[in-house]
Amino acid sequence: MTDGSSTPDQLAITKLDTTVPHSARIWNYWMGGKDNYEVDRIAGDEYREVAPNIETMARASRAYLIRTVTHVAGECGIRQFLDIGTGLPTYDNTHQVAQRVAPEARIVYVDNDPLVLRHAQALLTSTREGVTDYIDADLHEPERILEAASKTLDFDRPIALMLMGILGHIQNYDESVSIVRRLQAALPSGSYFVHYDSTDTDQALKQAQQGYDDTGAVPYVLRSVEQISRFYEGLELIEPGIVSCPLWRPAPSETDIETTDVHGGVARKP
């Protein structure tokens, strides 16, 4: 119990659990960041021993975020972003990429991890013309997220809904589809859905993920590409569709591209 005088930062510190590995901190470790603990580094190293390409997957996923946000803000003209499952800030976060294209862009981040909250408050700043906000909320409660986001975003104008590597944390597949549908239903015509998730297409990755889940951390469900495709039903997929993330509109200078077991796509709501 608090006395009401604690700051959000202090409250976040008291809620931190450094005895169990956490996916956001491990992802930060794989990306070369320093916002992680020994338990995360141990789990990350054990995962990498079984699935050596995991660091390539992590970096390819960030490169995919950069390309998709640049496209949606640039070619598609979107000025509002709802990024659920923020993860720890590293380099080229959503607001930085979007506001490079459009300084007036408004970004709302959503996460429910106290360490993410600490860093978001400190690092997720905005351009003078735009807005960057943070919501402490759980993906299992999409209506609460939408209500809170509506204080910053105008739901009468197109929004890019971003679910990047987060839906695997919804263990029940039907529930994950329901959550996506409810979020998408709140978006106006002309909005975009930007997404990726890890797939069950590699046996080593499946083995590594099972070992991670057995540590007592929040599990992550690897799903088939067919299951992932259901998240896009009713939307207009942008070429090249749902693909391994490095194959989604790579730069012309990129050659000899190595695919990864992370698939995603960008789709427009008609």
Side-chain angles (χ1 to χ4, degrees):
M1 180 177 294
T2 67
D3 59 6
S5 61
S6 299
T7 66
D9 189 64
Q10 291 170 328
L11 292 175
I13 292 173
T14 62
K15 290 169 61 180
L16 286 178
D17 184 353
T18 61
T19 65
V20 176
H22 189 281
S23 61
R25 301 193 305 248
I26 296 174
W27 207 254
N28 176 268
Y29 173 54
W30 287 330
M31 296 271 287
K34 301 184 183 301
D35 297 312
N36 46 73
Y37 296 95
E38 183 178 6
V39 66
D40 307 307
R41 295 187 286 274
I42 291 172
D45 289 343
E46 291 176 349
Y47 199 115
R48 184 172 49 199
E49 287 179 9
V50 180
N53 66 336
I54 188 63
E55 287 187 352
T56 299
M57 290 173 57
R59 290 175 170 81
S61 300
R62 178 49 54 115
Y64 170 79
L65 181 150
I66 294 168
R67 294 196 306 277
T68 53
V69 172
T70 298
H71 177 81
V72 170
E75 298 297 320
C76 305
I78 297 299
R79 297 294 180 264
Q80 301 188 106
F81 294 80
L82 178 56
D83 186 345
I84 304 175
T86 309
L88 285 165
T90 52
Y91 60 89
D92 276 343
N93 304 287
T94 297
H95 74 288
Q96 293 166 317
V97 178
Q99 291 180 344
R100 275 204 300 267
V101 177
E104 72 277 19
R106 304 171 74 87
I107 296 88
V108 171
Y109 290 103
V110 181
D111 210 294
N112 68 336
D113 180 79
L115 186 64
V116 172
L117 173 60
R118 283 179 58 195
H119 287 77
Q121 289 171 328
L123 300 176
L124 300 184
T125 57
S126 175
T127 58
R128 185 177 303 171
E129 302 92 332
V131 175
T132 299
D133 198 7
Y134 180 91
I135 297 172
D136 185 3
D138 193 311
L139 181 56
H140 289 88
E141 302 176 310
E143 285 75 23
R144 179 169 171 247
I145 291 174
L146 293 166
E147 180 182 1
S150 68
K151 298 175 182 177
T152 301
L153 305 179
D154 180 357
F155 277 77
D156 290 326
R157 297 172 54 234
I159 295 170
L161 168 65
M162 300 177 58
L163 296 173
M164 309 293 256
I166 186 67
L167 289 172
H169 287 303
I170 307 297
Q171 295 181 56
N172 183 284
Y173 176 61
D174 289 337
E175 183 182 7
S176 72
V177 173
S178 172
I179 288 170
V180 172
R181 294 281 185 275
R182 285 144 68 189
L183 289 168
Q184 291 171 346
L187 304 177
S189 174
S191 293
Y192 284 82
F193 176 54
V194 187
H195 159 266
Y196 74 73
D197 266 303
S198 298
T199 57
D200 62 358
T201 45
D202 180 75
Q203 188 58 43
L205 187 66
K206 292 167 67 174
Q207 182 182 344
Q209 187 61 51
Q210 185 60 57
Y212 170 79
D213 294 346
D214 290 344
T215 66
V218 178
Y220 183 93
V221 181
L222 301 173
R223 295 191 167 111
S224 68
V225 177
E226 290 74 22
Q227 287 177 310
I228 286 175
S229 68
R230 280 196 63 197
F231 298 140
Y232 297 79
E233 288 181 356
L235 306 179
E236 300 169 346
L237 271 167
I238 293 177
E239 291 293 336
I242 303 168
V243 296
S244 176
C245 285
L247 299 178
W248 198 92
R249 303 197 176 200
S253 60
E254 294 184 59
T255 58
D256 194 25
I257 297 172
E258 179 183 355
T259 60
T260 67
D261 297 291
V262 181
H263 280 64
V266 177
R268 181 182 182 276
K269 182 173 180 178

